[in-house]
Amino acid sequence: MTIYSHPTFDMACDQFDKVADLLSIDPQDRDRLKYPKRALTVAVPVRLDSGKVQVFSGFRVQHHLSLGPTKGGMRYHPDVALGEVAALAMWMSWKCALTGLPYGGAKGGVTCDPSQLSINELERITRRFTQEIISFIGPQIDIPAPDVGTNEQTMAWMMDTYSIHTGHTVPAVVTGKPVHLGGSLGRREATGRGVAFLIGRAMETLRLKSQDATAVIQGFGNVGSVTAGTLASTGIKVIAISDVSGGIHNPNGLDLNAIHAHLQSHPTLAGYTGGDRISQDELLTLPCDILVPAALERQITEKNAHLLKCRILAEAANGPTTPAADAILDQRPDLFIIPDILCNAGGVIVSYFEWVQDLQSFFWDEAEIMGKLYRSLENAFRHTVNTARDRQVSMRTAALSIGIQRVHQAKKSRGLFP
Ligand code: NAD
């Protein structure tokens, strides 16, 4: 399927093929499991504030329909492409199955640079994009959520556009909405808190103590900043962070409150003076206990995998490690890897809770949500650790094999349709 041709899609296919061999999946079933069921590409013409009209490209990919509606984020970034979105949709499928959620994976996005667009332009892009994909989404069809470059406001515009079209308010069409519009308590923080919870479980396994531990975090958006704050609240010293403008490092620990204050009045970390400026490459290879890539795909490659100096690699981003890097990391028993489909699953788990609450119009308190989240993550963590031990495979292969096996089982039971 050359329409998905993209390095990130190749990476997701490589991972799938390896696990399909391990599970001895019948070659006849493989393409049906691997390739997305549906993909939609749309042109999004929008009038900019200057009066000019610009046509943006928009995508939505639904990977499989065997277990329920599809679910996944919407990304606004200059590099968004069909193949990247397809890879992210595939990973969502394995993630939902690993954590036992009744969804297939989906992903979407618009190729644009949100930092160069006004709030009004972003609203027009979102509403027009939603209109273009309106028959492709719905509470029982496909439920978008925020991802890189999108947030609660984006979801509010999507929900409003869909509701205007339907003629009544439909909160369950998206998750990650503002709480006052039917969003779930804890959703904004869920991914980062889940990452920190799993890091805590890995530290217990390695007998690392919080007060002695240091963390380095690449990407300081929703996921990276909440992960940093949650780790710091347990006594872990966050010694370096980065964003699109580069990294900052302070071996004595960064002042996260001062960084948040800086970001109130500046778009990026550029100009922050509470640490030394370092490059992204330097950041990834700093000596630390916990390394958290929380930005984009393909950051840990064959060029830097052997240089990592952490004990725990917690993959908060989707697809941060290439298969070539994996082959190197497989030879490093000193590293405990929490693979992406497990590590960042807290987001989709609380999105599922949000969808359930919206469908019932009955809302839970935050303690109930967080308790349910941590129980789900604990189960997935144990299942992955036990599978890795029993099958003598890496944590990534273990997590993927649990997810892929569950989707395979559903497809076998249902037949060729979904
Ligand atoms: P975000 O847009 O809130 O933040 C992204 C951050 O990465 C920003 O700080 C940005 O400046 C930084 N960044 C961009 N390019 C970079 C680069 N080359 N080097 C370093 N930093 C860079 O996005 P997010 O929602 O925090 O998502 C981050 C990652 O987590 C993505 O891989 C996303 O798919 C994944 N994820 C997000 C969620 C969620 O709930 N938001 C859930 C699961 C997985």
Side-chain angles (χ1 to χ4, degrees):
M1 288 223 181
T2 50
I3 55 164
Y4 299 117
S5 206
H6 189 277
T8 306
F9 190 69
D10 294 346
M11 196 179 135
C13 290
D14 270 9
Q15 293 175 346
F16 172 84
D17 292 339
K18 189 172 164 204
V19 173
D21 287 344
L22 178 80
L23 297 175
S24 304
I25 292 178
D26 187 330
Q28 282 201 76
D29 294 343
R30 294 193 186 193
D31 282 0
R32 212 153 63 84
L33 270 166
K34 182 158 71 175
Y35 293 112
K37 186 77 177 70
R38 301 166 170 169
L40 183 64
T41 301
V42 294
V44 185
V46 171
R47 194 172 298 283
L48 302 178
D49 294 347
S50 64
K52 274 173 56 181
V53 172
Q54 186 171 341
V55 181
F56 296 88
S57 299
F59 308 95
R60 187 75 186 167
V61 175
Q62 298 170 357
H63 182 250
H64 81 84
L65 312 176
S66 307
L67 284 164
T70 49
K71 184 93 195 77
M74 284 289 185
R75 180 173 290 195
Y76 288 2
H77 190 275
D79 296 340
V80 165
L82 180 63
E84 181 195 56
V85 173
L88 291 162
M90 199 193 309
W91 286 323
M92 277 304 291
S93 287
W94 315 144
K95 188 187 307 180
C96 292
L98 169 66
T99 48
L101 304 181
Y103 294 132
K107 206 81 180 189
V110 176
T111 314
C112 67
D113 185 350
S115 70
Q116 301 302 312
L117 294 160
S118 71
I119 186 92
N120 291 329
E121 289 168 335
L122 284 169
E123 177 172 359
R124 289 196 288 275
I125 289 173
T126 303
R127 289 189 182 278
R128 183 60 197 257
F129 176 51
T130 307
Q131 185 62 47
E132 294 296 338
I133 63 166
I134 214 144
S135 56
F136 209 52
I137 57 172
Q140 299 301 339
I141 303 172
D142 180 11
I143 306 122
D147 190 74
V148 174
T150 58
N151 55 27
E152 290 184 357
Q153 180 59 70
T154 323
M155 294 304 113
W157 291 324
M158 288 196 90
M159 185 273 241
D160 184 62
T161 308
Y162 186 86
S163 299
I164 291 168
H165 175 86
T166 314
H168 58 92
T169 299
V170 188
V173 67
V174 294
T175 59
K177 299 175 291 294
V179 172
H180 60 267
L181 287 181
S184 178
L185 293 168
R187 171 60 186 91
R188 191 187 310 148
E189 303 82 9
T191 312
R193 284 191 192 165
V195 172
F197 173 83
L198 292 165
I199 289 171
R201 294 295 285 108
M203 288 174 71
E204 279 167 36
T205 310
L206 298 177
R207 300 205 161 84
L208 284 177
K209 297 232 177 317
S210 295
Q211 60 270 24
D212 304 329
T214 54
V216 168
I217 297 176
Q218 183 200 41
F220 204 69
N222 173 314
V223 179
S225 67
V226 174
T227 303
T230 314
L231 292 179
S233 73
T234 67
I236 293 169
K237 204 189 285 177
V238 178
I239 58 167
I241 61 167
S242 69
D243 69 6
V244 69
S245 71
I248 44 172
H249 176 218
N250 185 340
N252 298 319
L254 292 165
D255 181 344
L256 296 179
N257 289 332
I259 291 168
H260 282 293
H262 171 88
L263 290 174
Q264 293 290 317
S265 49
H266 302 80
T268 65
L269 295 170
Y272 180 73
T273 51
D276 303 324
R277 295 298 298 185
I278 52 168
S279 70
Q280 304 286 0
D281 288 345
E282 288 169 321
L283 176 122
L284 290 173
T285 56
L286 280 173
C288 62
D289 296 296
I290 304 150
L291 176 63
V292 186
L296 297 171
E297 303 91 59
R298 292 183 289 122
Q299 300 299 304
I300 296 166
T301 66
E302 73 270 31
K303 296 208 177 90
N304 59 13
H306 59 290
L307 300 173
L308 301 191
K309 298 184 191 71
C310 55
R311 296 292 313 284
I312 297 169
L313 174 62
E315 296 183 339
N318 285 305
T321 306
T322 65
D326 253 338
I328 297 167
L329 298 181
D330 281 349
Q331 305 305 315
R332 291 196 50 183
D334 55 315
L335 273 185
F336 190 108
I337 300 180
I338 312 173
D340 51 2
I341 64 165
L342 170 64
C343 192
N344 65 38
V348 71
I349 293 171
V350 177
S351 272
Y352 166 63
F353 298 157
E354 180 172 331
W355 179 70
V356 169
Q357 291 173 84
D358 287 337
L359 291 176
Q360 299 179 337
S361 297
F362 180 68
F363 292 87
W364 315 336
D365 64 32
E366 192 164 345
E368 184 171 359
I369 290 160
M370 297 317 290
K372 284 181 158 73
L373 167 65
Y374 294 144
R375 273 200 298 285
S376 279
L377 288 174
E378 175 67 25
N379 287 341
F381 179 79
R382 281 196 198 184
H383 198 165
T384 306
V385 168
N386 292 344
T387 304
R389 185 198 56 216
D390 296 348
R391 287 183 173 267
Q392 290 291 298
V393 293
S394 69
M395 285 284 282
R396 183 181 324 286
T397 301
L400 287 167
S401 65
I402 298 166
I404 290 171
Q405 199 161 26
R406 285 182 174 160
V407 178
H408 186 215
Q409 196 182 31
K411 284 197 182 287
K412 280 185 92 97
S413 306
R414 284 194 61 175
L416 282 183
F417 182 73

